[in-house]
Amino acid sequence: MFPKAPADISDLNAYNADLNKRLARKESRYRRREEQLDLVIVVDRLLTGFDAPCLSTIFLDRPPMKPQHLIQAFSRTNRIFNATKRYGQVVTLQYPLEYSKKIDEALLLYSNGGASEVSAPAWKTIKHDLKQAAQELKALTISSEDIDESSPESIEKIKLFVRAFQKVDRLLSSAQVYDEFEDEEERNSLGITVQKLQSMAGLYQNAREKIKKEGGDDPNPLMLDLDYELEAVKSFEVNYNYLMNLIQTFVPNEKTTEKTEIDPKADARVKKFIELYKRSNTAIGEIIEKFWDDLKQEPNNFAGKDVLVIMYSRVREIQDVALQMFSEEWAVPIEELNAVRDSWNGGEVPELNGNYDEYSGRHDESKLRYKHNLRKAAKKLFINTLAPLQQF
């Protein structure tokens, strides 16, 4: 699979370059799973001139390096790669206290002394701060009636709510970086959930717009960032292709007589991503959910198959059933419906012809009324049923 280690020093550069490319996975040939590297063990290498956004974790099993080398090493993992990799992880296998001290010194040095605390706080600290902020937000919760009012007291109340909401959002976004956040019991103890914050996001957006329009000049302005973009809520958007690639890793390459079971932690992780995806597209999310259950039950049924192809087929089948039922109910040839489905780009629903003579044999309805109701039914079919099944 991989080239053998070079027998001659003259081949070393080419060998190292090949390994770097396999690890970085940027070139198209290295996006195939069989061409990739997952783990590389190095000594004083890949610190500069190496860029791999997919790199997620660096393990350090050595004493702390010099400040510039610490910054360079940690920076290898800090590139955003996709919807789920927004940060890197650094694992120190030895000398935790020494690393903590040296990291602070290095960051302080390279921030020109401009930060009094440069390391991320301990989980205990972030948990305490978030619980306190969540309590403050709950005490300041407003209603749509408050936003409709324009009195000075109402505007001040709205400002307090917006500031508290932004604080919770920032802290909740920070909490997601910690391993402890993956523990359900720990998440439930934070005083607020992402789902709860999501449900309040609309009220927050309206409140922020109210301040922009009617906040006026305040002699004692609150520390508000009216251009602030939500972090914790947005970070839970899951990309369809990422989810498909994740599920593909659990599809066996070939059939086997051995009973294979998916690790419970991996199952929980996939389920979590599916639930997050369903927030933006329930229809497709439910199909993915059903496929995931089928894969866990009978993995051999999908051995060697492409998940994207399977999903396309399943989505198509659901569309076909909906079109067939519509065809039978409204006497529209299935060939016409299929042609319109394949050419429709999500805009205005095309006019369907239909067969009034066939339809009138089952319904006592004028041709004019039939055409009117057919347009309404077609709009409902394409907008409510087909459109969600075409938005991946």
Side-chain angles (χ1 to χ4, degrees), residues 2-3 14-24 37 40 50:
F2 299 122
Y15 176 80
N16 287 338
D18 181 74
L19 294 185
N20 289 355
K21 290 177 181 178
R22 292 181 188 276
L23 185 61
L37 280 174
V40 177
F50 176 72

Side-chain angles (χ1 to χ4, degrees), residues 31-43:
R31 291 173 188 164
R32 298 197 301 271
R33 191 70 187 93
E34 62 269 23
E35 297 288 345
Q36 297 172 352
L37 280 174
D38 291 332
L39 180 66
V40 177
I41 302 174
V42 298
V43 178

Side-chain angles (χ1 to χ4, degrees), residues 123-378:
W123 169 252
K124 184 178 180 180
T125 301
I126 200 77
K127 178 179 177 180
H128 173 270
D129 292 347
L130 179 53
K131 290 178 69 174
Q132 187 175 49
Q135 291 177 353
E136 294 172 0
L137 177 62
K138 290 177 181 178
L140 294 168
T141 297
I142 61 174
S143 65
S144 56
E145 288 76 15
D146 293 317
I147 297 178
D148 292 337
E149 294 184 18
S150 298
S151 65
E153 294 79 10
S154 178
I155 295 296
E156 187 66 20
K157 186 177 181 180
I158 292 172
K159 288 181 178 179
L160 289 170
F161 167 75
V162 169
R163 181 175 66 171
F165 191 96
Q166 290 179 355
K167 183 178 181 180
V168 170
D169 182 72
R170 279 191 291 265
L171 287 168
L172 189 55
S173 178
S174 298
Q176 296 168 26
V177 175
Y178 293 76
D179 291 338
E180 288 84 350
F181 188 81
E182 298 299 320
D183 184 271
E184 183 177 0
E185 186 175 343
E186 285 292 312
R187 287 200 308 275
N188 292 338
S189 70
L190 295 177
I192 193 165
T193 63
V194 175
Q195 290 81 2
K196 178 62 177 178
L197 201 64
Q198 178 92 40
S199 69
M200 300 169 66
L203 193 63
Y204 161 78
Q205 298 289 5
N206 292 338
R208 188 181 66 167
E209 291 303 313
K210 178 76 170 184
I211 298 172
K212 286 183 178 181
K213 292 180 180 179
E214 303 183 28
D217 295 329
D218 190 344
N220 298 302
L222 292 168
M223 297 298 293
L224 292 176
D225 180 2
L226 296 181
D227 295 320
Y228 177 80
E229 294 292 336
L230 298 181
E231 298 176 2
V233 173
K234 288 180 63 177
S235 67
F236 274 79
E237 297 174 358
V238 176
N239 178 272
Y240 175 79
N241 287 330
Y242 171 80
L243 189 51
M244 292 298 96
N245 288 333
L246 175 62
I247 294 177
Q248 185 71 60
T249 63
F250 297 96
V251 176
N253 292 326
E254 55 187 25
K255 292 185 178 182
T256 176
T257 56
E258 297 180 3
K259 177 66 175 177
T260 58
E261 294 185 359
I262 295 175
D263 178 75
K265 288 185 177 180
D267 181 32
R269 179 168 175 250
V270 174
K271 285 182 176 179
K272 171 185 172 182
F273 287 140
I274 293 175
E275 286 300 318
L276 295 174
Y277 184 81
K278 285 168 66 177
R279 294 179 187 174
S280 59
N281 192 326
T282 304
I284 296 294
E286 289 177 348
I287 299 173
I288 298 174
E289 189 173 50
K290 177 62 168 60
F291 169 58
W292 177 244
D293 289 338
D294 292 344
L295 175 62
K296 289 188 296 181
Q297 291 295 324
E298 297 292 340
N300 274 337
N301 289 348
F302 308 98
K305 296 183 179 180
D306 189 321
V307 169
L308 286 171
V309 174
I310 296 172
M311 275 299 301
Y312 176 82
S313 298
R314 292 195 170 200
V315 170
R316 194 78 173 184
E317 287 173 7
I318 293 175
Q319 291 181 352
D320 289 344
V321 170
L323 291 176
Q324 185 62 45
M325 292 176 62
F326 187 92
S327 172
E328 295 172 359
E329 180 178 357
W330 291 97
V332 179
I334 190 64
E335 295 80 11
E336 180 184 352
L337 287 172
N338 285 330
V340 173
R341 183 258 309 268
D342 293 339
S343 62
W344 185 58
N345 59 5
E348 185 176 350
V349 178
E351 187 83 14
L352 298 177
N353 293 318
N355 187 329
Y356 175 70
D357 291 337
E358 179 183 340
Y359 181 83
S360 61
R362 305 190 304 268
H363 301 83
D364 184 15
E365 193 172 276
S366 69
K367 188 172 184 179
L368 184 62
R369 174 59 60 181
Y370 166 67
K371 287 292 186 181
H372 174 75
N373 289 338
L374 177 59
R375 281 194 295 270
K376 289 177 60 177

Side-chain angles (χ1 to χ4, degrees), residues 11-147:
D11 297 327
L12 183 60
N13 287 339
Y15 176 80
N16 287 338
D18 181 74
L19 294 185
N20 289 355
K21 290 177 181 178
R22 292 181 188 276
L23 185 61
R25 304 179 184 180
K26 288 184 176 181
E27 298 181 14
S28 58
R29 63 169 293 194
Y30 298 117
R31 291 173 188 164
R32 298 197 301 271
R33 191 70 187 93
E34 62 269 23
E35 297 288 345
Q36 297 172 352
L37 280 174
D38 291 332
L39 180 66
V40 177
I41 302 174
V42 298
V43 178
D44 292 332
R45 289 198 63 245
L46 302 182
L47 294 180
T48 59
F50 176 72
D51 180 41
C54 61
L55 186 64
S56 65
T57 307
I58 179 172
F59 298 87
L60 295 166
D61 189 18
R62 53 167 296 171
M65 300 90 83
K66 294 179 180 180
Q68 66 270 30
H69 293 157
L70 271 177
I71 296 295
Q72 290 170 345
F74 289 8
S75 296
R76 297 312 95 197
T77 69
N78 69 353
R79 292 288 307 280
I80 295 176
F81 180 54
N82 54 30
T84 59
K85 197 254 173 175
R86 302 182 298 111
Y87 51 81
Q89 299 184 92
V90 178
V91 180
T92 55
L93 302 178
Q94 299 187 68
Y95 315 105
L97 296 180
E98 290 85 347
Y99 265 105
S100 179
K101 179 181 177 181
K102 293 299 181 182
I103 291 169
D104 282 353
E105 291 176 357
L107 292 175
L108 198 59
L109 173 64
Y110 286 95
S111 63
N112 295 318
S116 59
E117 182 180 357
V118 292
S119 291
W123 169 252
K124 184 178 180 180
T125 301
I126 200 77
K127 178 179 177 180
H128 173 270
D129 292 347
L130 179 53
K131 290 178 69 174
Q132 187 175 49
Q135 291 177 353
E136 294 172 0
L137 177 62
K138 290 177 181 178
L140 294 168
T141 297
I142 61 174
S143 65
S144 56
E145 288 76 15
D146 293 317
I147 297 178

